[in-house]
Amino acid sequence: MAEEKKRTRRANGESALYLGKDGRWHARVPMGYKDNGEPYRRHLTRPTRKELVDEVRRLEKQRDEGSARQPGKPWTVAKWLEHWVENIAKPVVSENTYDGYEVAVRVHLVPGIGKHRIDRLEPEHLESLYRRMQSAGSKAGTAHQAHRTARTALGEAVRRGHAAKNAAALAKPPRMEEDETEVEPYSVDEVQSLLLEVNKRRNSARWMLALALGLRQGETLGLRWSDVDLDNEYLKLRRNRLRPKYEHGCGEAAPCGRKAGYCPARVQVRRETKNTKSRAGRRAVPLPGPLVVMLRSHREAQARERAAAGNLWAESEYVFTKPLGGPLSPNTDYHDWKRLLGDAGVRDGRLHDARHTAGTVLMLLGVPDRVIDQIMGWEPGGAARMRARYLHVTDPMLKEAARKIERAIWGAPENLAVDKDQDNGV
């Protein structure tokens, strides 16, 4: 038979097909070179020549597109994710982004899908993981975080030739429930109740920066007096306060037995602030007159605290500090917000909801979109999407829209009264 001819010499780079002594068809497909420079060929075998030719063509296409698996032992998902998060992602992403990736990898992805080979991972494996996570009590948002992490990590594996496809890009994450995404901004009455309570507290201006201007927590806690120009009534945002991270300082010889954050000799291993990464985030924000007054009063109060503390004062140049100086902890700031809501008799909410409130108030006041984007720190390319997410249509806005429709279609209220009189024969 013609199919059973012995192998013949092939040109360099061409796949070799031959019938083996085992009765099966074999192929050696050139795939490039190993790390040491030696040629690398993949061996394929199929029962018939036609099946083998089809598989060789598929593999050659992957090779030419750069999506074929590279030589060496295939990665498991666990080994790749652990390598990716520590050696590829960590050096180039922010501390907060790395923390999110690390938790998703360690807590969810490695235990859930880590034993699979990366080149054999299927979308169904991920979808099954998301269902198991939700059955175990995880919110849909947590599953989404794991999904985004997997998609990013596997995308890098595809770019480097360790897998032919990104299974996470094909997988369907769970549907986000409305109660996980719906945000109800505080009303004007609620903001005024908060304002009355804020005026009784230390660092009162901190909360009004959030409610009136929508500053993020990291932006507010990272603010320094050199960023504030009270004479010209504006402030510059250029850095974010990072959440502290600690390691034990007690030593293995005499461990304290506590978590690192509560170790008496704990060591801070994360920098206090980082520069704002986006151009839109580095921005000047105008200060309303009452906020200027509050910040002047706050600066005087801080000077009195510094004088009273004497040598105990930790100099830091931050606008908002602890009673003895030094930067405020984001965790302490969060609990202060919760206490403020309770003392003001206002419904519970996230600290970030104050940002939604500020954006909605700006829209209520008719502030142009471009100015809202500047104050909120939104990038031009994604500003429309962020406005749709943050700016909420309130009941007063809906009622005003109804009044405008009424005037446009039925005319002014006095005209309606005249029409009714005419209908009644008056």
Side-chain angles (χ1 to χ4, degrees):
M1 293 177 64
E3 280 190 346
E4 297 180 0
K5 290 193 301 182
K6 293 182 179 181
R7 74 179 92 176
T8 57
R9 181 175 294 276
R10 306 270 176 170
N12 288 336
E14 187 178 356
S15 299
L17 279 69
Y18 59 93
L19 181 64
K21 293 181 180 179
D22 57 359
R24 294 173 61 87
W25 280 89
H26 297 257
R28 302 283 178 176
V29 183
M31 299 299 292
Y33 296 89
K34 300 178 182 177
D35 292 341
N36 61 5
E38 294 179 358
Y40 167 58
R41 295 178 178 84
R42 287 271 295 276
H43 174 240
L44 300 175
T45 178
R46 293 292 184 273
T48 67
R49 190 177 191 280
K50 181 181 184 307
E51 290 177 284
L52 185 65
V53 168
D54 291 343
E55 187 63 19
V56 166
R57 287 173 178 169
R58 184 188 66 81
L59 187 58
E60 288 176 337
K61 182 179 179 182
Q62 287 183 1
R63 176 197 63 195
D64 297 339
E65 292 174 347
S67 61
R69 178 171 60 84
Q70 294 300 303
K73 188 176 180 180
W75 292 82
T76 63
V77 174
K79 290 295 184 184
W80 171 254
L81 290 174
E82 290 164 353
H83 169 74
W84 169 80
V85 76
E86 291 298 326
N87 301 306
I88 299 174
K90 188 175 183 179
V92 298
V93 301
S94 71
E95 288 91 335
N96 289 342
T97 301
Y98 165 76
D99 284 347
Y101 286 160
E102 192 276 332
V103 169
V105 167
R106 173 173 49 84
V107 177
H108 302 296
L109 295 173
V110 167
I113 57 172
K115 292 182 180 179
H116 291 283
R117 267 179 45 171
I118 196 171
D119 57 334
R120 295 180 180 174
L121 186 68
E122 298 295 338
E124 292 78 12
H125 296 143
L126 287 154
E127 290 162 351
S128 174
L129 169 63
Y130 305 150
R131 289 193 295 271
R132 297 197 305 272
M133 288 174 63
Q134 290 188 284
S135 297
S138 293
K139 293 183 178 180
T142 306
H144 267 260
Q145 170 65 12
H147 173 73
R148 290 191 297 270
T149 302
R151 187 176 58 199
T152 303
L154 294 174
E156 189 64 36
V158 171
R159 282 190 291 274
R160 297 182 181 218
H162 302 308
K165 69 175 184 292
N166 184 341
L170 302 173
K172 302 296 183 185
R175 179 176 176 270
M176 293 285 284
E177 297 297 331
E178 290 185 4
D179 60 353
E180 290 190 54
T181 56
E182 188 76 16
V183 175
E184 184 179 353
Y186 291 107
S187 66
V188 174
D189 289 341
E190 287 173 319
V191 171
Q192 289 174 344
S193 296
L194 288 169
L195 178 58
L196 290 174
E197 185 60 35
V198 155
N199 287 328
K200 306 173 187 176
R201 310 171 92 86
R202 183 177 177 274
N203 285 337
S204 59
R206 182 264 172 274
W207 305 113
M208 293 316 298
L209 285 174
L211 289 163
L213 297 177
L215 267 60
R216 302 174 179 92
Q217 183 190 45
E219 293 172 338
T220 307
L221 300 189
L223 201 61
R224 296 179 181 172
W225 284 114
S226 57
D227 303 322
V228 182
D229 188 338
L230 296 179
D231 293 332
N232 293 304
E233 300 185 347
Y234 74 92
L235 54 83
K236 288 184 177 180
L237 299 173
R238 12 182 170 216
R239 64 183 65 83
N240 284 307
R241 172 81 166 99
L242 297 175
R243 188 176 297 277
K245 186 175 183 180
Y246 302 100
E247 288 182 355
H248 282 282
C250 51
E252 296 181 1
C256 65
R258 305 177 184 179
K259 291 184 178 180
Y262 297 95
C263 174
R266 69 186 185 185
V267 178
Q268 168 72 280
V269 294
R270 177 176 289 166
R271 52 183 172 161
E272 286 183 357
T273 62
K274 70 180 180 76
N275 292 335
T276 303
K277 63 181 180 180
S278 70
R279 182 175 299 176
R282 295 186 295 273
R283 63 196 189 278
V285 176
L287 291 171
L291 252 177
V292 173
V293 173
M294 291 183 78
L295 285 168
R296 289 189 190 279
S297 176
H298 172 72
R299 187 166 60 181
E300 293 168 0
Q302 191 179 82
R304 291 193 295 270
E305 287 180 342
R306 183 186 290 106
N311 293 334
L312 297 177
W313 182 264
E315 193 60 61
S316 62
E317 287 299 314
Y318 287 104
V319 174
F320 302 108
T321 66
K322 302 173 185 176
L324 293 177
L328 278 175
S329 163
N331 188 51
T332 301
D333 183 68
Y334 166 81
H335 290 295
D336 286 345
W337 165 254
K338 292 296 186 180
R339 280 191 291 271
L340 171 61
L341 293 176
D343 293 344
V346 172
R347 60 186 166 83
D348 190 29
R350 306 173 308 163
L351 177 53
H352 202 70
D353 291 350
R355 182 166 167 80
H356 287 258
T357 300
T360 301
V361 169
L362 290 170
M363 182 172 62
L364 271 170
L365 296 174
V367 176
D369 287 348
R370 185 174 180 181
V371 178
I372 293 178
D373 298 344
Q374 165 81 11
I375 292 174
M376 299 293 285
W378 292 331
E379 292 279 5
R385 178 175 56 84
M386 297 306 290
R387 283 196 297 272
R389 179 180 175 186
Y390 275 81
L391 307 187
H392 303 268
V393 178
T394 62
D395 286 345
M397 295 168 68
L398 291 172
K399 290 178 180 177
E400 177 60 24
R403 283 192 291 268
K404 289 181 178 178
I405 293 171
E406 177 184 344
R407 287 193 293 269
I409 297 178
W410 287 278
E414 56 270 19
N415 294 338
L416 292 177
V418 170
D419 292 340
K420 288 179 180 178
D421 290 341
Q422 291 173 348
D423 290 341
N424 292 329
V426 178

